[in-house]
Amino acid sequence: MGSWTFLDSSALRASFTLEPNGNITNASNITVKNTRVGIISIGSETSYTTDYIGAGNYIQETGCLISLAPKLSEKSIPPRRIIDIKIGVEVYIENLSDCQKGTVSDVFPIFTDELFANLPFTYTLGETKSISLREIQPLDFGELISPETAASYSVNPQTGIGSGTAQQHASPKLGIFRVNGDANTPYQINPVSEVRLENDTRTQTLAATLATISNARLNATGEDSVYVGGTLTIPSHSQAGTYSSTYSITVNY
């Protein structure tokens, strides 16, 4: 069943499903690699249909509690034919803080009304991955002139260049964040949507829609940068002042 890496070992549980087609679905708090489904060749003189009952067993050899529930590709066996039944599994891992790094081999029992099989499986529990994010430079739309009519101003997250219908006095600055973690590991950015900027007298707000760009993969030294730009919408005859806001960016493996 491949190699497993927990994303947060302080959490209570991790889980995933290895589908009979080999895909990993429903992964929660875990990265799973190098999986392989089990295969049983079975034939019957007469056709029958049965529900496969998986005997979920619990393994504690690495200190954590692991529950297994098999998923099978076929439930109907045609007469006088041999078919390959592909076997996946639903996996639930408890007590993550107690789990120890290592490789465990065991047998995976499958029961039906006409079939019993012990399938060997092996998994390797890896180190817990960590990832961090810190701000290097805040996003700054620069100094803009209050327009006579509604206007907008954008900062391109890829180039840092500002453009729009609002007149500008001072150059904008991209928001820059540094991501650190395990080398060559892909990660995801939770998108940032609209934020409201409030002026220093708290009498007016402006709307901004933010946009992020990154490689979405850490380099060989375990680093990457996330760049933040966006578009600021400015109503006509907006009040002068310094407008500011805060926003959150979340990254995870």
Side-chain angles (χ1 to χ4, degrees):
M1 291 196 297
S3 58
W4 310 347
T5 303
F6 302 137
L7 305 184
D8 179 6
S9 62
S10 65
L12 177 64
R13 166 183 282 193
S15 59
F16 70 92
T17 301
L18 171 60
E19 301 288 351
N21 62 8
N23 292 337
I24 297 294
T25 62
N26 304 319
S28 174
N29 193 31
I30 194 170
T31 298
V32 185
K33 297 180 180 179
N34 304 319
T35 56
R36 185 171 58 190
V37 300
I39 300 176
I40 291 180
S41 292
I42 185 172
S44 176
E45 289 299 316
T46 59
S47 63
Y48 70 90
T49 300
T50 183
D51 289 331
Y52 291 87
I53 304 172
N57 62 342
Y58 294 83
I59 317 298
Q60 291 181 290
E61 297 181 27
T62 57
C64 46
L65 195 63
I66 302 171
S67 174
L68 308 174
K71 297 190 68 176
L72 292 91
S73 61
E74 304 289 343
K75 291 186 177 181
S76 296
I77 309 299
R80 293 177 293 280
R81 285 185 57 194
I82 296 177
I83 65 172
D84 288 338
I85 300 175
K86 297 180 180 180
I87 303 174
V89 63
E90 293 179 350
V91 180
Y92 298 90
I93 309 104
E94 309 282 355
N95 303 336
L96 303 190
S97 59
D98 296 331
C99 293
Q100 303 171 10
K101 182 178 179 180
T103 298
V104 171
S105 298
D106 210 307
V107 293
F108 190 132
I110 301 287
F111 297 94
T112 76
D113 58 357
E114 296 189 21
L115 168 68
F116 169 79
N118 273 324
L119 298 182
F121 73 90
T122 301
Y123 72 88
T124 302
L125 181 61
E127 299 284 0
T128 301
K129 290 189 176 182
S130 62
I131 191 167
S132 65
L133 179 70
R134 60 189 175 93
E135 187 181 52
I136 304 300
Q137 176 174 282
L139 172 63
D140 187 349
F141 284 97
E143 185 179 345
L144 304 172
I145 298 175
S146 178
E148 294 293 324
T149 58
S152 64
Y153 190 80
S154 298
V155 179
N156 187 310
Q158 188 165 12
T159 64
I161 296 175
S163 62
T165 55
Q167 292 184 326
Q168 173 225 26
H169 266 320
S171 298
K173 294 180 181 178
L174 281 175
I176 304 175
F177 291 81
R178 185 67 44 78
V179 186
N180 293 93
D182 293 344
N184 302 312
T185 302
Y187 66 91
Q188 295 178 328
I189 304 174
N190 290 349
V192 181
S193 55
E194 185 176 272
V195 297
R196 304 293 299 187
L197 285 75
E198 187 177 64
N199 68 4
D200 44 10
T201 60
R202 297 186 178 182
T203 55
Q204 186 174 358
T205 62
L206 304 178
T209 302
L210 304 185
T212 59
I213 190 169
S214 71
N215 294 318
R217 179 179 289 272
L218 303 180
N219 61 21
T221 61
E223 292 185 342
D224 192 31
S225 295
V226 178
Y227 299 96
V228 184
T231 299
L232 181 67
T233 301
I234 310 166
S236 60
H237 303 288
S238 293
Q239 295 179 10
T242 299
Y243 290 77
S244 62
S245 182
T246 60
Y247 59 91
S248 298
I249 288 182
T250 304
V251 298
N252 54 66
Y253 286 129

